[in-house]
Amino acid sequence: MTSISTSASFDGPSRALQRNLALVCAAIIFCVPFIQPGQYIIHLLIMCLMWSYIYTSWSIMGRLGLVSFGHGAFLGVGAYTGVLLWNYLGVSPWLGALAAVVVTALLAVLIGYPCFRLKIVGHYFALVTLALSEVVRLIIIGLRDYTGGSLGMTPRTALAQGQEIALGAMQFADKRIWLYLVLVCWLLALYVWHRVDRSMARLALQAISEQEEAAASIGINVRAVKLGLMVLSAAMTCLGGVLYAQYQLYVNPENLSGIGVSLQMVFGVVAGGMFVMLGPTMGAVFLLLLSEGLRLLIGNDLHGVDLAIYGALLVIFIIFMPKGILGTLLHRYDAHAQKRRAKVNAPAEASAAPATLSVLESRP
Amino acid sequence: METIFDIYLLEALCNGLLLGGLFALLSLGLNLVFGVMDVVWICYAELIMVGMYAIWWLHTAQGVPVFLACLIGIAFVALLGATMHQFIIRPVLQAEPINQLLVTGGVLFFLQAGATVVFGIEFRNLGVQLSSLNVGEMSFSISRLLSFAVAAAAIVAISLFLRKTFIGTAIRAISQDRAIMPLMGVNPARIYLTASALGGGLAGLGAALLVLQYDVHPAIGLSFGPLIFLICVLGGLGNLIGGFLAAFVFAQFISVGGFFFQLEWGYVFAFIFFIAVMFWKPQGLLAKRA
């Protein structure tokens, strides 16, 4: 079932549609601050983009069957490395982010290399990464003398009274700067997603996610590709952690490396659509709007209703809509476009190649 | 000074043993379900939480005696397990394995958040205090000894059930060869349902033992859920004896590690040990080298 959805995602006119959609969204978001909406709207947009960025980073490896249940580990390492270096050594978070990426990449190799070498996949890979995120969370709590344990910690403030921007400290009182920063990150993540999708490894990736032996037999270094993607995904997630820490100015092991966060990442992507570029974004937006909408609707008293509905929806999605919201929509769009094109081309190519081939050839 | 140190270490070791019995029971149901259906119930710990809430509610709000409340609780979770299988897992049984993991993940969120909505985030206590047993300078809580005894009895009962009864034999057979069983005149759907109910029942039993020792709160599943999965994986998913062994190994790590350092470090060591074993023997502790 999923093999069909994977192949559908690699081709078809919906790719161009998604690219245009992303650019239009970016343009709209770019203009939003000029109409001066409230702080709340800007905050919502920032959170949407930040989580979209993180979910997209996750899906770079997730859609290849490397379903990680432990990306909270990378999020936590990123956030805490940045904040600890800033608070204790005065290292600018920009440099801290670099350090965090190095640490994360090492961690990803440490876990990924043996996993891929020993062909730990599926359930086992998911649970090994789950253990990793627990290790990170518990180490953060265990080092409570430095990290504040479960109570969390705040980055030392660098903004003097009335000051708006502390560039070196990556602290901005003006939310618009944050909006543009996360917008750029989100676009970059989409670009990386697109590049990975487009790279020479495109068909190789598909082969890997469906049949590893087959991929290996046509000369693909399966391990190296997997490891590369895992390091990429982890490093991007870790930068998400740095951004989160600097924006919220508060980090907490539960909010960053808890199992809830790691699972939510997986489920958000699944709900949006794992195999399409904007799927993770869709999942993040959907999730955020759901929780914010319900909060506005029923107030703060009924804590947990949003997550309960979310859980129920997930079950329904996976049973009835395994491609996710956007995945299903785009699949329909592709099928429709294909039918239309077949109708247009049919008279001219009546004697030519079969329909599937004609679609491939007529692509720009 | 030296002798006191040793006594406390011995106490930690014994407590680890008792904890191991509890872990072994908790992982038994999950292992059974996996062995039969190849499905990981990632919401297993949340089923236990629901059982704990059921028992707590029956006892404190309805005044049902503890023992009876536990029995009803076990039956309720067994029913829940069977229902979940019938309506949520069966539709995706033919889909990719990761989808089954994800669908039970949805149930996890639902149950956890549902418990928050219904019962709030307060810690709930059954209000039953069992005293502790003192041996020399060591002290053990009666509830832990009780849970160890019940866990041991349940494990023996389950293995007898799997060996002596027709359904038990069918369960073992189906976990060895999924394709051949329908040809032997066994209806797999019925076996799956039975195994799910049994897995749920074991979760309920775990709930009954946990609720005697710990307070209930909605996030309790997240606190020991990962532990149960890792124990099952460490023992080799579906391998009941391996899971049993792994439970005791894990419990010792936590108990003794927590004795020498702080409690979290015990867990950290246990998890790092788990990752190391995965690289050493990816199919679990008892697996023959692949």
Side-chain angles (χ1 to χ4, degrees):
Chain A
M1 186 186 280
T2 317
S3 68
I4 296 169
S5 67
T6 343
S7 10
S9 74
F10 284 105
D11 291 301
S14 62
R15 311 172 100 253
L17 178 76
Q18 283 188 78
R19 195 187 54 214
N20 296 340
L21 207 62
L23 290 176
V24 169
C25 284
I28 293 174
I29 292 166
F30 181 81
C31 297
V32 161
F34 296 111
I35 60 165
Q36 296 194 325
Q39 292 282 306
Y40 175 67
I41 298 288
I42 296 207
H43 171 73
L44 263 190
L45 275 175
I46 292 172
M47 291 317 277
C48 271
L49 288 170
M50 199 181 281
W51 285 111
S52 299
Y53 166 76
I54 293 170
Y55 285 12
T56 307
S57 309
W58 181 90
S59 74
I60 283 175
M61 61 187 282
R63 75 201 183 99
L64 293 176
L66 299 174
V67 174
S68 154
F69 275 17
H71 260 45
F74 306 129
L75 216 52
V77 167
Y80 273 91
T81 310
V83 176
L84 286 174
L85 282 177
W86 168 245
N87 278 13
Y88 291 103
L89 302 174
V91 178
S92 158
W94 298 99
L95 287 176
L98 206 64
V101 166
V102 172
V103 175
T104 308
L106 285 177
L107 196 62
V109 171
L110 194 71
I111 291 295
Y113 181 74
C115 272
F116 302 144
R117 203 187 144 81
L118 297 167
K119 293 202 178 134
I120 295 176
V121 288
H123 295 327
Y124 286 83
F125 184 74
L127 292 169
V128 166
T129 48
L130 185 80
L132 175 69
S133 84
E134 279 293 276
V135 168
V136 169
R137 185 180 69 92
L138 289 164
I139 287 179
I140 293 172
I141 296 177
L143 293 173
R144 58 171 61 78
D145 292 344
Y146 304 97
T147 61
S150 325
L151 295 175
M153 70 190 298
T154 50
R156 193 159 45 79
T157 180
L159 293 170
Q161 196 68 37
Q163 195 185 347
E164 286 279 289
I165 297 173
L167 191 61
M170 212 199 265
Q171 291 178 14
F172 313 107
D174 190 343
K175 280 200 171 25
R176 283 175 303 180
I177 297 174
W178 276 109
L179 183 65
Y180 290 132
L181 191 59
V182 289
L183 180 63
V184 170
C185 287
W186 175 64
L187 285 173
L188 281 178
L190 290 183
Y191 178 69
V192 170
W193 204 102
H194 178 75
R195 277 300 297 269
V196 169
D197 196 46
R198 269 272 114 146
S199 64
M200 78 94 214
R202 183 160 73 95
L203 291 172
L205 296 178
Q206 195 175 347
I208 288 171
S209 76
E210 280 164 21
Q211 234 182 340
E212 204 164 297
E213 284 77 15
S217 73
I218 53 169
I220 298 165
N221 189 343
V222 177
R223 264 181 233 160
V225 172
K226 278 185 170 177
L227 197 61
L229 287 174
M230 179 159 177
V231 169
L232 184 65
S233 166
M236 286 166 65
T237 309
C238 144
L239 288 180
V242 176
L243 286 177
Y244 179 94
Q246 296 299 320
Y247 176 66
Q248 299 281 27
L249 288 178
Y250 172 67
V251 287
N252 171 315
E254 228 34 75
N255 292 350
L256 286 158
S257 296
I259 299 162
V261 181
S262 297
L263 290 183
Q264 211 150 320
M265 240 183 263
V266 185
F267 298 137
V269 175
V270 170
M274 201 184 321
F275 302 105
V276 288
M277 183 172 76
L278 288 177
T281 304
M282 181 81 192
V285 172
F286 172 74
L287 189 56
L288 211 68
L289 288 184
L290 184 73
S291 70
E292 284 300 306
L294 285 169
R295 202 168 61 83
L296 291 178
L297 212 66
I298 50 182
N300 280 325
D301 313 333
L302 277 179
H303 199 70
V305 174
D306 54 339
L307 267 183
I309 294 178
Y310 175 56
L313 281 177
L314 266 172
V315 172
I316 294 169
F317 274 129
I318 292 163
I319 294 177
F320 297 106
M321 214 193 255
K323 288 186 208 116
I325 306 170
L326 198 69
T328 306
L329 289 178
L330 289 177
H331 182 72
R332 291 223 180 114
Y333 176 82
D334 274 348
H336 193 72
Q338 201 164 346
K339 213 182 286 171
R340 206 172 42 206
R341 199 173 303 193
K343 214 178 274 175
V344 172
N345 291 347
E349 297 176 10
S351 59
T356 44
L357 260 182
S358 79
V359 169
L360 280 177
E361 279 163 6
S362 59
R363 248 180 29 200
Chain B
M1 201 59 199
E2 274 300 303
T3 49
I4 291 175
F5 175 79
D6 283 341
I7 280 282
Y8 287 139
L9 180 60
L10 188 63
E11 188 185 59
L13 279 168
C14 292
N15 269 324
L17 196 68
L18 296 182
L19 194 64
L22 186 62
F23 284 169
L25 177 74
L26 292 180
S27 56
L28 192 60
L30 189 67
N31 241 336
L32 185 74
V33 169
F34 182 87
V36 176
M37 277 169 283
D38 242 334
V39 174
V40 176
W41 282 5
I42 204 131
C43 60
Y44 186 75
E46 273 61 34
L47 292 181
I48 296 176
M49 174 204 70
V50 169
M52 289 171 80
Y53 267 117
I55 294 165
W56 167 80
W57 181 77
L58 283 169
H59 181 66
T60 55
Q62 305 298 312
V64 179
V66 176
F67 185 68
L68 191 62
C70 286
L71 286 184
I72 300 175
I74 292 169
F76 177 67
V77 182
L79 188 68
L80 199 64
T83 315
M84 185 175 86
H85 175 77
Q86 192 67 12
F87 294 104
I88 293 172
I89 292 171
R90 239 174 77 143
V92 292
L93 215 50
Q94 303 303 324
E96 269 198 286
I98 208 74
N99 282 15
Q100 297 147 12
L101 204 65
L102 293 173
V103 89
T104 56
V107 177
L108 179 155
F109 277 116
F110 182 76
L111 291 179
Q112 193 203 337
T116 315
V117 173
V118 178
F119 297 106
I121 51 169
E122 292 87 4
F123 284 54
R124 309 289 184 169
N125 195 308
L126 200 57
V128 178
Q129 271 304 333
L130 295 174
S131 57
S132 58
L133 181 71
N134 291 306
V135 181
E137 285 178 65
M138 301 182 287
S139 108
F140 306 104
S141 77
I142 295 278
S143 51
R144 278 209 169 163
L145 288 169
L146 181 71
S147 71
F148 180 79
V150 174
I155 288 159
V156 171
I158 283 289
S159 49
L160 280 178
F161 168 77
L162 288 178
R163 296 195 184 278
K164 301 287 180 198
T165 64
F166 176 75
I167 292 236
T169 314
I171 286 179
R172 279 190 302 133
I174 214 159
S175 58
Q176 282 170 12
D177 193 333
R178 224 165 295 283
I180 205 83
M181 281 314 284
L183 305 177
M184 301 283 138
V186 173
N187 179 2
R190 254 191 62 200
I191 298 294
Y192 287 177
L193 203 58
T194 314
S196 298
L198 203 57
L202 283 167
L205 187 59
L209 296 178
L210 276 176
V211 82
L212 291 176
Q213 313 179 34
Y214 300 99
D215 294 349
V216 201
H217 56 101
I220 194 167
L222 289 184
S223 65
F224 65 85
L227 218 56
I228 303 178
F229 297 121
L230 299 188
I231 286 171
C232 290
V233 175
L234 196 62
L237 269 171
N239 182 340
L240 296 182
I241 299 168
F244 199 75
L245 183 72
F248 285 99
V249 174
F250 245 56
Q252 286 306 344
F253 264 104
I254 290 163
S255 189
V256 177
F259 167 76
F260 281 113
F261 305 94
Q262 277 159 319
L263 189 60
E264 301 89 43
W265 291 104
Y267 282 94
V268 169
F269 295 141
F271 288 142
I272 290 177
F273 172 71
F274 165 80
I275 294 175
V277 171
M278 275 292 97
F279 296 155
W280 169 48
K281 280 192 165 182
Q283 302 304 321
L285 274 179
L286 290 189
K288 295 188 187 81
R289 188 112 184 115

